[in-house]
Amino acid sequence: SDDTSAARQQAIARYQFAIVGMTAWKSASTLQSFVTGIKKLNPNIKLAQYVMLQELQDFASTDPNYSKTQAVNANNWWHRNAAGSRTQWTAGYSAYNVNITDWAPADATGKRWHEVKAKFDNDKFFANMKGLDYVYLDGFDVPLSDGDWKRIGTNQSRTDPQIVSAYRKGNVNYVNSVRALNPGLKFIGNSASI
């Protein structure tokens, strides 16, 4: 929920640990007031911001997340199958998978998706949520779709050990990129196994 009201702050502050899912629609001051309000009510609570690295919606140009879609489109970072179609592990979220491995190309400045996403998340969330303790990184352990991970014109199984290893490395690269920008944050990786 993107609710930052005093009532939600009070509800969250009753716990010792909470994962929040603030969106890019919230202003920096609203995000900071939200975290500060919760921590004032319960100084011992541990707060985590939810993030997703390996999937992305096709955000409209009016959406504050549009720069991420632009970057993925411009650099062809989508995860595709051998036929060239973008993959989805589920159609339930209207999102498509992103190839977070090093087989996906670097952009013109030498950056990969994990670096671009880390900067966006830090600039929008982490730097504006002082007092945040953790980043809750969803889908950390294994890829959820078969497809052309290696970008060689064939489909590779999501369970292939080489694919799994490259995928996990992509998540670790994101963690390292965020830590380079915001060293105090800790991470919780959520299992994505299905």
Side-chain angles (χ1 to χ4, degrees), residues 10-80:
Q10 290 170 352
I12 291 171
R14 296 187 335 229
Y15 299 97
Q16 294 306 305
F17 178 81
I19 300 167
V20 297
M22 295 296 100
T23 69
W25 289 96
K26 295 295 182 185
S27 69
S29 60
T30 299
L31 291 170
Q32 188 58 64
S33 294
F34 177 68
V35 172
T36 302
I38 294 168
K39 291 280 186 162
K40 184 175 181 183
L41 293 166
N42 180 358
N44 296 318
I45 192 172
K46 300 299 182 190
L47 288 175
Q49 167 67 17
Y50 176 95
V51 296
M52 176 72 72
L53 175 67
Q54 78 281 2
E55 70 179 29
L56 185 67
Q57 294 175 342
D58 255 337
F59 291 105
S61 61
T62 54
D63 193 292
N65 291 288
Y66 181 61
S67 65
K68 293 185 292 185
T69 300
Q70 278 184 303
V72 173
N73 281 333
N75 296 292
N76 194 20
W77 285 334
W78 297 111
H79 177 249
R80 299 181 183 275

Side-chain angles (χ1 to χ4, degrees), residues 114-134:
H114 62 87
E115 294 167 291
V116 171
K117 175 83 162 86
K119 181 163 180 7
F120 179 92
D121 290 347
N122 188 69
D123 291 353
K124 184 59 192 172
F125 302 114
F126 314 141
N128 301 315
M129 298 172 81
K130 301 294 185 203
L132 188 72
D133 303 288
Y134 292 93

Side-chain angles (χ1 to χ4, degrees):
S1 171
D2 205 17
D3 178 8
T4 57
S5 68
R8 183 164 185 239
Q9 291 175 36
Q10 290 170 352
I12 291 171
R14 296 187 335 229
Y15 299 97
Q16 294 306 305
F17 178 81
I19 300 167
V20 297
M22 295 296 100
T23 69
W25 289 96
K26 295 295 182 185
S27 69
S29 60
T30 299
L31 291 170
Q32 188 58 64
S33 294
F34 177 68
V35 172
T36 302
I38 294 168
K39 291 280 186 162
K40 184 175 181 183
L41 293 166
N42 180 358
N44 296 318
I45 192 172
K46 300 299 182 190
L47 288 175
Q49 167 67 17
Y50 176 95
V51 296
M52 176 72 72
L53 175 67
Q54 78 281 2
E55 70 179 29
L56 185 67
Q57 294 175 342
D58 255 337
F59 291 105
S61 61
T62 54
D63 193 292
N65 291 288
Y66 181 61
S67 65
K68 293 185 292 185
T69 300
Q70 278 184 303
V72 173
N73 281 333
N75 296 292
N76 194 20
W77 285 334
W78 297 111
H79 177 249
R80 299 181 183 275
N81 60 26
S85 299
R86 293 184 297 180
T87 66
Q88 293 177 292
W89 72 273
T90 178
Y93 301 109
S94 301
Y96 296 90
N97 298 322
V98 178
N99 189 337
I100 66 171
T101 72
D102 286 345
W103 288 304
D107 68 11
T109 67
K111 290 184 173 57
R112 297 190 187 277
W113 168 239
H114 62 87
E115 294 167 291
V116 171
K117 175 83 162 86
K119 181 163 180 7
F120 179 92
D121 290 347
N122 188 69
D123 291 353
K124 184 59 192 172
F125 302 114
F126 314 141
N128 301 315
M129 298 172 81
K130 301 294 185 203
L132 188 72
D133 303 288
Y134 292 93
V135 176
Y136 182 86
L137 180 55
D138 203 359
F140 190 81
D141 63 343
V142 295
L144 299 178
S145 299
D146 297 337
D148 189 8
W149 290 99
K150 295 181 180 180
R151 303 168 69 95
I152 56 174
T154 63
N155 288 325
Q156 300 90 50
S157 170
R158 67 184 180 87
T159 61
D160 179 309
Q162 189 178 29
I163 302 304
V164 172
S165 178
Y167 178 89
R168 287 180 176 158
K169 181 183 177 201
N171 279 294
V172 170
N173 287 341
Y174 172 79
V175 170
N176 291 336
S177 294
V178 170
R179 284 186 172 153
L181 299 168
N182 204 322
L185 288 174
K186 299 178 187 107
F187 279 78
I188 299 172
N190 185 43
S191 172
S193 299
I194 56 172

